Amino acid sequence: MEGTDSQTGTTTLKRGLAQMLKGGVIMDVVTPEQATIAQEAGAVAVMALERIPADIRAAGGVARMSDLSLVQRIMDAVTIPVMAKVRIGHFAEAQCLQALGVDFIDESEVLTPADERYHIDKEKFSVPFVCGARDLGEALRRIAEGAAMIRSKGEAGSGNIVEAVRHMRAIRDAISELSGSPAEELVARARDLGAPLEIVRQIARDQKLPVVLFCAGGVSTPADAALMMQLGAEGIFVGSGIFKAAQLVRDGAPVPDEHGYPKIDPDIALRYARAIVAATTHWNDAAIVVDAHKSLAGARAMKGIDVRRLANEELLSVRGN
Amino acid sequence: MPGPSVIVGILGLQGDVVEHVAALERCGVETRVVKTQEDLAAVDALVVPGGESTTVMRLLERFELRAPIIARVKAGMPLWGTCMGMIVAAHDVAGLTQPTLDLIDITVRRNAFGRQIASAEMELAIPALGPVPFPAVFIRAPWVERVGPTVDVLASVDGHPVFVRSGNVVATAFHPELTGDDRVHRFFLSLVGREDAQRTAA
């Protein structure tokens, strides 16, 4: 053995996997077949779940960790990293996913929260966690709990980019504000942000988060991805955007597959996924984003929701603190 | 070290690109992120960073960089792949039909250490870099299962090569760009613009 003092589950390793995903697209998938399509399209990881957020929203009820045999089958179907979601605060669901061997856990507001006061103590886990944030304070509280990656919350399953834009701008603006603050103001800033002083000092010094920042919640077109990358996202989560656009509809209703889930057109899904990957890679080259949009001929972006018309109890982004 | 006119490219389609940019700039060389053929034509060496190999191989094809990179490396341009870059540069991938650039005569095994929870940091003996062990960070890392006759093995873990070189092509299964220890970056830069770094492998 030429390597000594081998350590697993360190902060470097957990944050490091997120660094390897930068510039890429992480796609929600609900079957092994969709996972294969996502990998074929160039996804850097897949999020294994039972229903895409738009369908979770439509179905109502309590949304929990996905069926573990489904997560296992998705892990077996692809070589790229597999992520899965747990309810906010549900550390036993997280223990299950770590034992199963998923590569990343999303402690997600898309599922029904299990704990209204506390998030999971993520330092205790070897597997890395990603958490959503609406602003810098929320991002820093999650990092203090051990999150290895932050994503904007956006408004999942809405097909509307407006909340993701709001969250990404809020995080970015607060970081630039801190960077200009004299040292004596940082204690008060930490109090206002509700975040530990040490991390606040680090942000003021480095002018960036100590972990990777992705955009999530509402990305449904290649131009949406290019927009978020230009606003400072280091990569993109696409929840409902791809496979909702590829759902087959007959007489205005989704066509069910043999399991009762909406059936998708694999060709449209592949083209849609590829187009979002291309726009994420070349976010600063409008000609390539144009080609990505042209490649979608015949496909239609999900209808989406005006989030101002959602009642407070229908909003997912307000879950967690 | 190469002269001040040297520009080192970092393949920028996906992955931990800025970490390599920072490490190379600490070593005093000019860098350029490579996303297009025009970018590639402007650089004297290329680093393929950490990332997802299936993703990057597809993007190399889609954005028509595959053939130009192979041509440049065959003409002598030094190339170093870290983790994903090792897979992309390899001859082939054990057990998978995944395409590669076939720039160095090795067969790699993907995710050889296991899934993310088996990712590990360790002190790695690398005699070519001196007596001080190197802080090696392995993240869902590959290792080398077969080396061709032209390939030098510079470090191994449990008998599996994790740092190899053949002529102008270098590959590491670990991530020196995440550590702040620039010795592997300097080793790679020592090949840039050197006669004996020309490709020797068939």
Side-chain angles (χ1 to χ4, degrees):
Chain A
M1 173 90 185
E2 295 87 342
T4 52
D5 304 328
S6 180
Q7 290 182 292
T8 57
T10 64
T11 300
T12 299
L13 293 166
K14 292 196 274 189
R15 292 180 179 179
L17 179 55
Q19 288 169 279
M20 300 312 143
L21 302 175
K22 282 193 293 183
V25 181
I26 299 167
M27 301 180 190
D28 279 2
V29 298
V30 300
T31 63
E33 294 72 34
Q34 290 187 5
T36 309
I37 291 170
Q39 177 168 274
E40 176 62 31
V44 289
V46 290
M47 178 77 70
L49 68 178
E50 276 176 46
R51 290 177 186 177
I52 54 176
D55 292 337
I56 291 175
R57 189 181 277 289
V62 174
R64 311 180 179 91
M65 172 177 77
S66 291
D67 170 11
L68 294 182
S69 61
L70 171 69
V71 177
Q72 180 71 60
R73 283 189 291 129
I74 289 172
M75 287 163 61
D76 294 342
V78 292
T79 56
I80 57 178
V82 175
M83 301 184 165
K85 290 183 193 292
V86 299
R87 286 178 263 179
I88 289 172
H90 205 314
F91 51 85
E93 285 187 344
Q95 288 160 356
C96 291
L97 289 178
Q98 175 166 281
L100 190 70
V102 302
D103 298 294
F104 232 107
I105 293 176
D106 184 2
E107 187 183 17
S108 176
E109 70 282 359
V110 171
L111 305 184
T112 310
D115 190 326
E116 296 194 324
R117 280 196 75 187
Y118 300 113
H119 286 248
I120 296 171
D121 174 10
K122 293 164 276 287
E123 290 286 357
K124 280 202 185 117
F125 287 79
S126 302
V127 66
F129 280 75
V130 55
C131 289
R134 282 163 295 181
D135 52 41
L136 184 62
E138 202 172 7
L140 298 189
R141 289 191 291 280
R142 298 293 86 78
I143 294 167
E145 293 156 359
M149 181 180 191
I150 295 293
R151 53 173 176 76
S152 63
K153 283 183 167 172
E155 187 57 32
S158 71
N160 189 336
I161 201 66
V162 66
E163 292 302 305
V165 168
R166 190 193 321 279
H167 300 163
M168 196 59 66
R169 283 193 185 278
I171 292 169
R172 199 187 62 176
D173 292 351
I175 291 174
S176 19
E177 203 178 312
L178 272 187
S179 309
S181 299
E184 68 271 18
E185 290 181 13
L186 293 180
V187 175
R189 299 265 181 198
R191 184 199 58 210
D192 297 343
L193 288 166
L197 178 59
E198 264 327 293
I199 299 185
V200 171
R201 284 192 173 132
Q202 192 182 352
I203 308 282
R205 187 188 64 223
D206 300 343
Q207 302 178 35
K208 60 192 270 302
L209 291 181
V211 302
V212 167
L213 174 64
F214 267 48
C215 164
V219 173
S220 34
T221 69
D224 284 349
L227 171 70
M228 298 316 298
M229 293 297 282
Q230 289 178 64
L231 288 176
E234 295 179 283
I236 302 288
F237 282 88
V238 186
S240 311
I242 292 167
F243 290 103
K244 193 76 186 170
Q247 278 180 3
L248 295 171
V249 175
R250 195 177 296 140
D251 302 328
V255 179
D257 68 7
E258 62 271 30
H259 307 294
Y261 292 133
K263 200 170 182 176
I264 60 140
D265 179 327
D267 170 62
I268 291 178
L270 185 62
R271 278 192 289 140
Y272 219 95
R274 274 194 181 137
I276 290 184
V277 170
T280 302
T281 306
H282 288 285
W283 52 269
N284 52 353
D285 186 338
I288 292 177
V289 181
V290 167
D291 287 343
H293 272 271
K294 283 183 177 168
S295 76
L296 300 179
R300 188 182 291 171
M302 63 185 285
K303 184 179 176 204
I305 299 169
D306 181 346
V307 294
R308 289 172 304 182
R309 294 182 188 277
L310 286 175
N312 210 30
E313 62 272 19
E314 294 177 293
L315 290 171
L316 303 178
S317 58
V318 298
R319 294 168 168 180
N321 48 46
Chain B
M1 282 297 111
S5 60
V6 163
I7 300 176
V8 178
I10 302 93
L11 187 66
L13 296 174
Q14 188 273 314
D16 69 334
V17 179
V18 297
E19 290 80 353
H20 272 294
V21 169
L24 289 162
E25 288 181 350
R26 284 197 298 271
C27 296
V29 291
E30 194 179 330
T31 59
R32 176 162 175 165
V33 174
V34 173
K35 287 170 119 177
T36 63
Q37 293 186 8
E38 187 193 354
D39 295 325
L40 180 66
V43 301
D44 304 292
L46 186 66
V47 175
V48 182
E52 276 306 312
S53 58
T54 47
T55 304
V56 168
M57 279 308 304
R58 280 171 176 81
L59 293 172
L60 284 170
E61 304 249 6
R62 198 185 313 171
F63 297 112
E64 294 170 354
L65 282 167
R66 179 190 172 120
I69 290 175
I70 293 171
R72 286 292 308 278
V73 172
K74 300 237 184 230
M77 177 182 74
L79 178 140
W80 170 28
T82 57
C83 193
M84 171 269 275
M86 172 185 258
I87 298 164
V88 166
H91 172 68
D92 61 350
V93 183
L96 294 171
T97 51
Q98 184 174 339
T100 62
L101 297 181
D102 189 13
L103 296 170
I104 181 167
D105 188 14
I106 57 174
T107 299
V108 296
R109 179 166 295 280
R110 285 191 57 193
N111 301 333
F113 293 76
R115 301 194 73 95
Q116 170 62 11
I117 46 177
S119 291
E121 291 187 67
M122 64 186 76
E123 297 291 311
L124 185 65
I126 308 179
L129 300 182
V132 179
F134 193 86
V137 177
F138 293 90
I139 298 175
R140 284 174 47 93
W143 66 39
V144 178
E145 297 236 320
R146 180 197 62 83
V147 292
T150 63
V151 177
D152 291 330
V153 175
L154 298 167
S156 299
V157 173
D158 293 339
H160 302 286
V162 294
F163 184 0
V164 292
R165 175 191 166 195
S166 177
N168 55 333
V169 179
V170 177
T172 56
F174 51 96
H175 294 280
E177 74 281 10
L178 296 184
T179 64
D181 187 328
D182 299 331
R183 283 181 290 162
V184 184
H185 287 85
R186 290 177 191 280
F187 172 87
F188 176 63
L189 291 175
S190 75
L191 305 180
V192 181
R194 248 176 56 175
E195 282 300 310
D196 63 351
Q198 299 304 302
R199 186 178 172 86
T200 54

